[in-house]
Amino acid sequence: MLLVLVALGVGLGAAHDRSRDDGRPFPVFEVTSLILRPSTSAFHLTAAVTGAARHSARPRRSILKENAELRKEVARLRAQNAALYEAAQENVRLRAALDLRKSTDFEMVAAEVISRNQSSWFDTAVINRGRRSGIRKGWAVITSGKWLIGQILDADEFSARMVALTDSNSAVGAMVQRSRCNGMLQGQGGDYLTLSYLPKDADVKIGDTIISSGMGQVVPKGLIIGRVVKVVHNKVLGSTTALVRPSIRFDQIEQVFVAKPGQSVTP
Amino acid sequence: MWAIITLVVAAGLQGNLPKFVSIWEGKPDLILVVLVSYALAAEPAFGAGLGFIAGLLHGSLVGLSLGSFIITRTITGFLAGLVNTRLFSENPIVPALSAVWLTVVCELLFLIGNPRPDLLMAGRKVAGECICNAIFTLIAYFAIRHLDTHRKIKLANARL
């Protein structure tokens, strides 16, 4: 009995890996997703309602304090917005003068995280949009601020599984925004990412912003990923590696956007 | 049937656990907790079968390493079933301690198939998960036993 079940497990695992590599949906997941969906959605709804109730039931003084802080923030952002608007207008004029391609709006699908971190070993989550909404394997998952947080693992009809950049199964092309040095950003299964395959004399410093490089035409170019916190030069291998802290914590994400491939933030 | 329904409910809850429910970055594995709680009081064959379903559900939720999830949970369910026939007694320590060693076995088997670069962090996570699972198994085991006894009494009364 045990051996038969183990053999069946090996077979199912191999079939799943094959269908994932081919980018085909795995039929067993279609069935299990249907079975798990009501339970997952019910607990997600309960958690959301409880969280909202806890957030709204706060002392008046705390709300007033937060309100004052938000007013200050709004004033600061208004001033910043005016300056950015001027810069954008200037950008439009200069682009027209140089006859450059116009930046297109991002094509995205909005989704909600309904289940996450189901295991201690993987940073994965389930979102409530799937193939019916046009989502496909490999598409980039971003936040409203256009920060890259992960990629779609696979999608069934009504939901999709995503893997965070921090997961050890994740790897995307990335570059240093300032110096445009290209490398491969890999998850370590912890809170940090590693930007490897940088050249020996790569111009990378602590505090540099890391963005997606758009290599492979799957993850859009120019999405912010994080900041460099440590740089290691390996003289023996003749390479440079940078430790990157992601801009957003994966466990704090509630709403996400799934971006179509072949787009760019900075055309 | 009730065991499978409980597994589905545990799978739903697993993905929506609050952030503070963790020790040393190790979160409780509620699917494993339910599996151990049922398999402890059952035969090894039942444990293995339930473990297979538990692994399938957990692997489907995560979307990665489906084979590893199925194999490790099937073996864990089988081992939990052996505890029933050889070691089991109605002592609260037994389910809690069983949860600890079964979690260690399950996660070590899983790590063989899915090695981690940072072994120290992996060890800390397993230790945290063991403590969480022991606490939750203690609750789940006696709740399941209580409901099971209640259901059997009702069934016997209906027959009478």
Side-chain angles (χ1 to χ4, degrees):
Chain A
M1 171 79 169
L2 179 69
L3 289 177
V4 172
L5 289 174
V6 168
L8 199 59
V10 172
L12 273 173
H16 172 240
D17 285 347
R18 216 172 22 247
S19 68
R20 199 155 61 88
D21 289 344
D22 296 347
R24 283 183 289 114
F26 189 50
V28 177
F29 279 5
E30 304 274 323
V31 179
T32 48
S33 288
L34 270 179
I35 295 167
L36 290 173
R37 199 175 161 77
S39 163
T40 308
S41 302
F43 281 114
H44 169 66
L45 194 69
T46 312
V49 169
T50 315
R54 212 175 49 209
H55 186 74
S56 54
R58 286 185 302 155
R60 190 170 172 266
R61 211 168 60 183
S62 149
I63 296 168
L64 286 173
K65 191 181 164 199
E66 188 183 328
N67 195 20
E69 280 168 8
L70 288 173
R71 278 175 194 279
K72 271 187 210 164
E73 182 81 1
V74 167
R76 190 181 65 78
L77 289 173
R78 269 193 189 142
Q80 198 181 53
N81 193 32
L84 287 173
Y85 182 75
E86 281 306 311
Q89 290 300 312
E90 189 183 349
N91 191 25
V92 169
R93 284 195 299 274
L94 289 171
R95 275 179 183 283
L98 292 167
D99 199 22
L100 280 178
R101 187 157 60 90
K102 189 177 175 282
S103 172
T104 50
D105 279 337
F106 246 46
E107 265 190 79
M108 299 187 291
V109 179
E112 204 172 331
V113 175
I114 56 169
S115 170
R116 86 180 93 203
N117 288 341
Q118 303 92 346
S119 162
S120 298
W121 309 117
F122 300 108
D123 285 336
T124 58
V126 181
I127 57 170
N128 66 347
R129 293 279 181 272
R131 282 203 309 275
R132 184 67 64 95
S133 306
I135 291 171
R136 296 289 181 271
K137 186 199 166 195
W139 286 21
V141 183
I142 62 178
T143 63
S144 52
K146 287 186 182 163
W147 287 327
L148 180 66
I149 50 164
Q151 276 182 284
I152 296 292
L153 263 179
D154 55 27
D156 52 53
E157 205 60 21
F158 299 104
S159 61
R161 273 163 285 271
M162 59 166 284
V163 61
L165 290 177
T166 46
D167 191 281
S168 52
N169 291 284
S170 170
V172 290
M175 64 179 170
V176 183
Q177 191 178 37
R178 179 180 55 80
S179 63
R180 318 307 280 183
C181 275
N182 270 279
M184 178 67 81
L185 195 75
Q186 291 167 308
Q188 300 295 304
D191 292 337
Y192 293 93
L193 308 160
T194 309
L195 183 63
S196 38
Y197 304 114
L198 288 167
K200 185 174 65 177
D201 54 349
D203 182 9
V204 53
K205 291 175 189 163
I206 292 171
D208 273 345
T209 301
I210 303 299
I211 58 170
S212 55
S213 64
M215 292 288 175
Q217 294 278 304
V218 180
V219 174
K221 186 183 176 183
L223 296 168
I224 298 168
I225 294 170
R227 280 186 188 281
V228 174
V229 290
K230 191 180 175 186
V231 181
V232 180
H233 295 282
N234 192 326
K235 283 174 186 162
V236 180
L237 293 173
S239 66
T240 304
T241 307
L243 199 66
V244 178
R245 187 167 61 203
S247 301
I248 291 209
R249 279 184 67 96
F250 181 63
D251 56 6
Q252 291 169 344
I253 303 296
E254 286 171 6
Q255 268 91 30
V256 294
F257 296 92
V258 185
K260 265 189 169 180
Q263 302 181 83
S264 178
V265 177
T266 50
Chain B
M1 189 61 193
W2 281 106
I4 296 170
I5 293 170
T6 318
L7 275 179
V8 171
V9 173
L13 190 56
Q14 181 72 41
N16 287 291
L17 274 176
K19 266 172 270 176
F20 58 81
V21 188
S22 71
I23 298 172
W24 300 324
E25 292 182 49
K27 285 182 282 272
D29 187 335
L30 297 182
I31 302 172
L32 189 65
V33 164
V34 170
L35 166 67
V36 168
S37 302
Y38 270 104
L40 273 176
E43 292 298 313
F46 176 85
L50 195 65
F52 182 87
I53 297 166
L56 184 64
L57 291 177
H58 209 157
S60 305
L61 262 184
V62 174
L64 287 164
S65 301
L66 177 68
S68 300
F69 273 107
I70 294 177
I71 294 164
T72 53
R73 269 59 181 174
T74 304
I75 294 171
T76 309
F78 182 81
L79 292 175
L82 286 179
V83 174
N84 169 46
T85 45
R86 296 195 184 160
L87 301 169
F88 183 70
S89 67
E90 279 289 344
N91 186 331
I93 302 291
V94 174
L97 283 182
S98 300
V100 171
W101 77 262
L102 286 166
T103 304
V104 171
V105 170
C106 183
E107 296 300 8
L108 285 182
L109 286 173
F110 192 86
L111 288 173
I112 291 169
N114 302 270
R116 301 284 120 178
D118 191 346
L119 281 178
L120 200 70
M121 194 175 77
R124 212 176 55 206
K125 276 187 179 179
V126 172
E129 193 184 322
C130 283
I131 298 168
C132 292
N133 282 0
I135 296 164
F136 278 92
T137 304
L138 208 59
I139 302 162
Y141 178 79
F142 286 103
I144 288 167
R145 290 283 72 75
H146 178 75
L147 288 172
D148 207 32
T149 314
H150 189 69
R151 211 171 47 243
K152 278 176 186 166
I153 291 169
K154 258 178 97 173
L155 203 72
N157 283 342
R159 276 185 192 154
L160 283 171

